[in-house]
Amino acid sequence: MRYDKGHKDDTRRHILDVASTRFRKSGIAAVGLAGIMSEAGLTNGAFYTHFASKEELVREVLNDALTRREERHKANLENGIALETTIRDYLSTRHRDRAGTGCPTAALVAEIARHPKATRDAFTGKVADIISLMAEQIRQGSAKERRRKAIAIYSTMVGALQLARAVNDRELSDEILEDAAETAVTIASES
């Protein structure tokens, strides 16, 4: 059967999108290739036309999802959107409740620590880029001070989102998000 031009790229993109959502929602270890391919409407054998292994898929998902997040940070910077807006959007109940489409760092960071060096290298590079973009949004202090603040803010955001998702008390979860947002905004505005 002959496919239209771009079919292979479209299929690869679809597999990435399905895997990205499933990984963020359920965790990398809990999601098998068979489930990804079934949800994508493809056979298991078709997977290897696009990826050499599940680990390659994980790296591609991380790269893609973190590149998209990085692009949002760049757009915010270019459009003069304050870091406070980014912080409050990230630490929102909407983001907490949509893990499957949310930040891959918060959803997957604990698992990434156990993956091979190549995957961790890809993750590290993207996280460093995001931290650099956040540092550019901080207006006060030397470059070193802005970077230190950006690391503290990003760490607070990721950790708070993870904690807010983990607790089963909705009121406490909301409080975690609100208090972490206030703390992160305070760090961003300190001189």
Side-chain angles (χ1 to χ4, degrees), residues 34-137:
I36 291 168
M37 296 308 284
S38 175
E39 188 173 325
L42 300 164
T43 65
N44 291 352
F47 175 82
Y48 295 100
T49 302
H50 302 281
F51 304 96
S53 65
K54 182 178 178 182
E55 196 62 35
E56 181 185 342
L57 175 63
V58 170
R59 277 192 303 277
E60 290 293 325
V61 162
L62 286 171
N63 185 55
D64 180 66
L66 288 168
T67 295
R68 289 179 187 205
R69 187 147 293 275
E70 182 182 359
E71 288 168 355
R72 279 189 223 122
H73 281 282
K74 283 180 185 174
N76 287 352
L77 187 60
E78 290 167 3
N79 294 314
I81 295 173
L83 182 55
E84 179 176 352
T85 302
T86 301
I87 292 167
R88 293 194 186 283
D89 182 55
Y90 190 96
L91 293 171
S92 67
T93 56
R94 178 192 48 74
H95 190 200
R96 176 198 60 205
D97 297 343
R98 295 182 180 160
T101 57
C103 175
T105 302
L108 303 172
V109 70
E111 283 188 88
I112 298 306
R114 294 181 204 78
H115 279 258
K117 184 178 182 322
T119 302
R120 293 181 68 208
D121 286 348
F123 179 76
T124 300
K126 287 297 181 184
V127 167
D129 291 344
I130 289 169
I131 288 169
S132 292
L133 286 167
M134 290 180 82
E136 286 183 50
Q137 285 185 281

Side-chain angles (χ1 to χ4, degrees), residues 4 6 11 14 27 29 33 42 65 77 83 89 96 105 116 139 150 164 171-172 176 182 184:
D4 293 335
T11 301
H14 183 57
L33 294 179
L42 300 164
L77 187 60
L83 182 55
D89 182 55
R96 176 198 60 205
T105 302
R139 301 291 178 221
E171 191 174 309
L172 176 59
I176 290 166
E182 289 303 319

